[in-house]
Amino acid sequence: MKNKFLDDYLKIKVKGIIIPVQVKRFPTSKRLRLYGSGNNIRITAPSSLGKNRILEILNPHFDQIYKLYIKGLAEEDSLQEKKLNLDIKVYIEGILTPIHYLSKEKFKQESFFSKGVIYLYLNPEERNYDNVYKQIDSLYTNLANIYIARSLDDMLEYFSFKEKPNLIIKKMKRQWGNCKKSENRVVLNYHLMKVPPILREYVAFHELTHLIHANHGKEFYKIMDNAFPKRAWIDKELKKWSFVLRDNYVEEYHK
């Protein structure tokens, strides 16, 4: 059974500015937690706390809320500007890749990636942020189904599975991949097309290894270390690239 929660909205005045804050109360919450920025600042709180008590607890943190608000507004403005400027780049295999637009009247192919450039088929009147996003999204899906599946096939020679594992490629916001040993299934994130190939291969191999050893035990890491001697470095790199899991492709997330 899902927890029931009550939405509430607070208006906090800091330095003469009224900042909207959404409050969600959960029976399982033990303390206040602050999330978000700009116009999307949120707080989770125990269901027993009223508005006045929440404001008392938040009071020492008003300066932090103000900074989150101002920072978020600046990011929102920057994103709006980028939505108007379609001269953008996206990540493919760890490289910021430019987009070129081609008109449908001259070409009737699907959008594609070639020689370090992405080509999108959109007539001038169709070139807006939403349409570009849809085509990029579709392109990532197509590339992932080709390149990730190919990487997985190459790795199967390392293992001695009785049956070839089932591969599912999908968009995920919080993890690079997962697996279910009982179903002989591996799930990999299509965002892996955005990171350097070594990281993509590492995640795929990691999930395949879990079909042999479900937990992160000694035997599991023995296989991983044998295949990837620089595992510690790769783990750090994956954390650096976690920003691409955000469902936005434009280059304001370039680190």
Side-chain angles (χ1 to χ4, degrees):
M1 181 177 178
K2 292 184 178 180
N3 290 325
K4 294 182 179 179
F5 60 85
L6 174 65
D7 277 349
D8 230 336
Y9 291 88
L10 302 177
K11 292 183 178 180
I12 297 174
K13 188 173 183 179
V14 187
K15 299 181 180 180
I17 296 176
I18 303 297
I19 302 174
V21 177
Q22 183 184 29
V23 179
K24 290 189 175 183
R25 296 184 180 87
F26 293 90
T28 54
S29 294
K30 295 182 179 180
R31 59 189 180 89
L32 294 188
R33 291 184 180 273
L34 183 65
Y35 303 89
S37 61
N39 286 303
N40 193 32
I41 296 178
R42 309 177 303 283
I43 292 171
T44 58
S47 55
S48 59
L49 291 184
K51 282 186 177 182
N52 291 336
R53 180 54 183 153
I54 289 174
L55 285 171
E56 287 178 10
I57 297 172
L58 287 179
N59 189 269
H61 306 284
F62 276 11
D63 282 345
Q64 178 189 357
I65 292 173
Y66 175 82
K67 290 177 182 178
L68 288 172
Y69 180 69
I70 297 300
K71 179 183 177 182
L73 289 183
E75 290 174 349
E76 290 167 13
D77 287 344
S78 176
L79 178 56
Q80 291 303 317
E81 289 179 7
K82 287 183 178 294
K83 285 184 176 182
L84 296 176
N85 176 18
L86 297 179
D87 183 19
I88 57 178
K89 297 178 181 180
V90 303
Y91 281 103
I92 290 187
E93 296 195 325
I95 299 172
L96 270 174
T97 306
I99 293 175
H100 288 184
Y101 298 97
L102 302 175
S103 297
K104 291 180 181 177
E105 286 83 357
K106 296 181 180 180
F107 306 93
K108 295 185 179 180
Q109 302 178 45
E110 294 293 329
S111 298
F112 67 98
F113 168 65
S114 177
K115 297 181 180 179
V117 178
I118 289 174
Y119 295 91
L120 300 186
Y121 290 91
L122 288 168
N123 290 327
E125 66 274 13
E126 298 174 308
R127 293 172 194 171
N128 58 58
Y129 184 87
D130 290 335
N131 286 337
V132 169
Y133 181 88
K134 288 177 183 177
Q135 289 222 20
I136 290 293
D137 189 62
S138 177
L139 180 61
Y140 274 130
T141 300
N142 293 337
L143 291 174
N145 277 290
I146 295 171
Y147 287 91
I148 293 178
R150 188 181 297 165
S151 293
L152 211 69
D153 284 342
D154 291 342
M155 292 173 189
L156 291 179
E157 296 181 8
Y158 191 94
F159 300 89
S160 55
F161 296 120
K162 293 181 180 179
E163 294 182 14
K164 181 179 178 179
N166 296 314
L167 171 63
I168 297 174
I169 295 173
K170 61 188 292 188
K171 183 190 296 185
M172 295 182 283
K173 294 183 179 180
R174 293 181 177 84
Q175 56 183 176
W176 295 111
N178 60 63
C179 74
K180 194 166 185 178
K181 187 176 181 180
S182 62
E183 297 180 7
N184 196 32
R185 182 189 72 195
V186 169
V187 181
L188 295 174
N189 197 332
Y190 96 147
H191 287 301
L192 285 167
M193 281 308 305
K194 299 180 180 180
V195 305
I198 184 65
L199 305 186
R200 181 178 72 226
E201 292 167 5
Y202 175 80
V203 172
F205 194 91
H206 181 110
E207 299 307 332
L208 284 175
T209 305
H210 272 313
L211 294 179
I212 301 173
H213 300 289
N215 299 317
H216 292 107
K218 184 177 180 180
E219 293 302 316
F220 172 86
Y221 284 118
K222 184 177 180 180
I223 295 175
M224 291 300 301
D225 287 335
N226 185 53
F228 294 90
K230 295 183 179 180
R231 179 173 61 83
W233 173 82
I234 294 175
D235 282 332
K236 290 180 181 178
E237 287 299 301
L238 272 174
K239 289 181 181 179
K240 291 179 183 178
W241 280 93
S242 63
F243 68 92
V244 302
L245 294 173
R246 283 176 261 189
D247 193 16
N248 194 299
Y249 63 84
V250 292
E251 62 178 313
E252 73 266 23
Y253 291 143
H254 177 48
K255 301 294 182 183

